[in-house]
Amino acid sequence: MARRPAHKWAFKSGMRAGAYSWRSSAKAIDRLKSASAEIRAVARSEPVIAAEGVIALAQRIWPAFEHIDTSSGALGTAVRRTLDELLPILIDAPADKNTRTKWLELLREAILDDGVDYLAPIADRFGEIAAFPALMNLHADRDLDLIQAAWSDHVRYAHVPTATLTLSCLLEAGRFAELLDLLAIKKTHLWFDEKFGAEALLRQGREDEALAYAEALLADDRQPWGRRDIARFCEKILVRQGREEDAYRRFGLPTASGNTYLAIWRDLVKRYPDLDARMILEDLIAAHGSKGKWFAAAKTARFLDIALDCAAQHDAAPATLIRAARDLKLKEPDFAAQVAVCAVWHLVQGRGYEPSPLDIDEAVEHLMVAAGRIGASDWALQELHRMSSSPRSVGLMADRLARVLSVMDESRNKP
């Protein structure tokens, strides 16, 4: 039978050993993105070849990135995201036992050579990649004695690079008792190992034991590594048991996260669609504090009364309030007018990040447009004069407001 020609991967030329210098993190992240896109494109028609591409990429990550400064965490995050994205291709590929045997050896060698644990996502799912029970058991047994010896010696503990992949294989092979016994001898109990034990209990239908096993890691007053992942595991069990409110209060709310306050709220609403979205927002504000910073989330969620309350807080950002007044002065003029007043008040008290006198001009403009649409122009002027004359209004912004009001009054008094 003719041998299939090797696929020519474009990403390989940019993933040579030592290809990146100390300050090449951004360039390396871009290379990972293009490599992932190339592999995923091939996977649509050639899943086995694409799986081989995943392995080729994994083999090159540490040699290529060895000299890059990783202190920001950005590169490590990008590597994990890329591997999480590509691992299903490797796991689901229709490869026979002999092919997977070769793949596993290549991956094992790459994990052993990995200097900073870039390939942790692969080790975590090594048992799934093995696919065949015989291969799972083979790799579960390979370093089992070594790991037992290392973990039993609490005085001269030695790290075993293949420990995670061994735990993964024990789990996927259904060797739950051995897995739990192995974890029990370890001196330190951290989630990156203990998650396999918790999952082993869960797969046996021992939900309450799995919950207690994982939650015990949260009992310490210190913030344990993987706290959010532990909480999500516990949360999943409670939701499965129909205890959604309990899951929300104990684990969902305390660990809600996102890049913005709006993203935090949306994440929790998505995870708990049966709970009241307004209640979730109020709970988040109470739990996280910084009420003014929740303005955009409340506004976007259309809880305008909560948004106004947020806008009045000292930590609300004037620039955010001005944008909201601009965007809603025609659609929601009453709301926009009150928000604009809050923005002016914050500015004349010296709040906001690098404010400009032009911010006063813009806020006043949006206020007067919105107030005019609801017949409240006199009220708006009274509010502006009140803020201008307040002893708490000082500095450049207060002077700017006084000048703006002087021009407005002069214009109104002209015959």
Side-chain angles (χ1 to χ4, degrees), residues 4-44:
R4 173 172 54 84
H7 184 83
K8 293 184 178 180
W9 293 102
F11 70 78
K12 284 186 177 181
S13 62
M15 295 291 290
R16 302 181 310 277
Y20 298 89
S21 61
W22 183 253
R23 299 184 182 277
S24 299
S25 180
K27 184 178 178 181
I29 292 171
D30 286 340
R31 179 65 65 183
L32 285 171
K33 290 178 181 178
S34 62
S36 177
E38 182 183 6
I39 292 169
R40 286 184 284 112
V42 172
R44 298 188 188 104

Side-chain angles (χ1 to χ4, degrees), residues 276-289:
D276 180 64
R278 181 186 178 94
M279 178 198 74
I280 290 176
L281 178 60
E282 291 174 333
D283 287 343
L284 283 170
I285 293 172
H288 291 262

Side-chain angles (χ1 to χ4, degrees), residues 280-350:
I280 290 176
L281 178 60
E282 291 174 333
D283 287 343
L284 283 170
I285 293 172
H288 291 262
S290 302
K291 191 170 187 177
K293 298 185 182 299
W294 288 92
F295 168 79
K299 172 186 70 70
T300 305
R302 303 299 297 166
F303 302 127
L304 300 186
D305 57 328
I306 297 178
L308 284 176
D309 193 14
C310 294
Q313 305 302 311
H314 70 90
D315 50 357
T320 302
L321 303 183
I322 292 171
R323 287 194 296 271
R326 177 198 66 197
D327 295 341
L328 296 175
K329 63 188 177 185
L330 302 181
K331 297 178 181 178
E332 298 281 355
D334 182 62
F335 173 76
Q338 296 180 72
V339 169
V341 167
C342 290
V344 174
W345 181 235
H346 291 315
L347 287 169
V348 298
Q349 290 187 89

Side-chain angles (χ1 to χ4, degrees), residues 381-402:
L381 283 171
Q382 289 173 5
E383 287 295 303
L384 291 172
H385 278 288
R386 177 184 63 78
M387 291 186 285
S388 180
S389 60
S390 170
R392 296 170 63 183
S393 298
V394 294
L396 181 63
M397 296 299 165
D399 293 342
R400 183 70 173 195
L401 177 59

Side-chain angles (χ1 to χ4, degrees), residues 143-152 160 162-164 166 182 185:
D143 291 335
L144 190 55
D145 290 341
L146 173 64
I147 296 166
Q148 287 174 333
W151 287 3
S152 297
V160 182
T162 55
T164 301
T166 300
L182 181 62
I185 66 175

Side-chain angles (χ1 to χ4, degrees), residues 54-343:
V54 177
I55 295 168
L57 178 63
Q59 290 176 294
R60 286 163 173 76
I61 286 175
W62 166 246
F65 297 167
E66 179 179 2
H67 302 299
I68 300 177
D69 174 22
T70 60
S71 58
S72 71
L75 181 57
T77 299
V79 171
R80 174 169 287 275
R81 183 174 57 246
T82 299
L83 292 177
D84 285 344
E85 186 175 73
L86 296 177
L87 273 172
I89 295 174
L90 182 55
I91 292 168
D92 297 336
D96 60 28
K97 184 179 175 181
N98 288 336
T99 300
R100 285 201 179 268
T101 297
K102 296 174 184 177
W103 289 356
L104 293 173
E105 292 302 324
L106 294 173
L107 291 173
R108 177 182 275 268
E109 184 178 349
I111 290 169
L112 285 169
D113 291 340
D114 187 358
V116 294
D117 222 17
Y118 278 132
L119 303 185
I122 291 177
D124 280 345
R125 303 185 70 179
F126 206 85
E128 294 176 74
I129 299 169
F132 296 92
L135 295 179
M136 296 174 191
N137 285 304
L138 174 67
H139 286 273
D141 290 330
R142 195 148 157 186
D143 291 335
L144 190 55
D145 290 341
L146 173 64
I147 296 166
Q148 287 174 333
W151 287 3
S152 297
D153 188 345
H154 293 176
V155 177
R156 298 172 299 175
Y157 171 79
H159 172 66
V160 182
T162 55
T164 301
L165 73 84
T166 300
L167 294 173
S168 176
C169 288
L170 286 171
L171 176 67
E172 297 303 328
R175 294 164 62 176
F176 303 134
E178 288 179 79
L179 171 57
L180 291 166
D181 288 344
L182 181 62
L183 289 170
I185 66 175
K186 202 167 185 286
K187 181 179 180 180
T188 56
H189 298 280
L190 301 174
W191 184 244
F192 58 76
D193 290 328
E194 299 300 329
K195 64 189 175 188
F196 295 103
E199 183 64 26
L201 292 170
L202 192 59
R203 292 190 186 187
Q204 295 175 79
R206 298 158 65 182
E207 292 186 348
D208 290 339
E209 291 178 72
L211 178 62
Y213 186 98
E215 195 171 9
L217 297 175
L218 299 174
D220 199 317
D221 291 336
R222 295 172 297 175
Q223 294 286 319
W225 181 91
R227 182 179 183 84
R228 181 167 289 108
D229 291 334
I230 300 169
R232 291 293 174 88
F233 179 85
C234 297
E235 182 183 16
K236 178 180 69 174
I237 293 175
L238 291 176
V239 170
R240 274 174 47 164
Q241 294 178 338
R243 300 161 61 187
E244 188 177 61
E245 180 69 22
D246 196 15
Y248 168 74
R249 294 291 173 188
R250 288 170 60 186
F251 302 110
L253 185 60
T255 60
S257 62
N259 294 328
T260 65
Y261 290 92
L262 177 60
I264 293 172
W265 173 77
R266 281 176 169 166
D267 173 62
L268 212 50
V269 168
K270 183 178 180 180
R271 283 158 53 198
Y272 292 93
D274 295 332
L275 297 185
D276 180 64
R278 181 186 178 94
M279 178 198 74
I280 290 176
L281 178 60
E282 291 174 333
D283 287 343
L284 283 170
I285 293 172
H288 291 262
S290 302
K291 191 170 187 177
K293 298 185 182 299
W294 288 92
F295 168 79
K299 172 186 70 70
T300 305
R302 303 299 297 166
F303 302 127
L304 300 186
D305 57 328
I306 297 178
L308 284 176
D309 193 14
C310 294
Q313 305 302 311
H314 70 90
D315 50 357
T320 302
L321 303 183
I322 292 171
R323 287 194 296 271
R326 177 198 66 197
D327 295 341
L328 296 175
K329 63 188 177 185
L330 302 181
K331 297 178 181 178
E332 298 281 355
D334 182 62
F335 173 76
Q338 296 180 72
V339 169
V341 167
C342 290

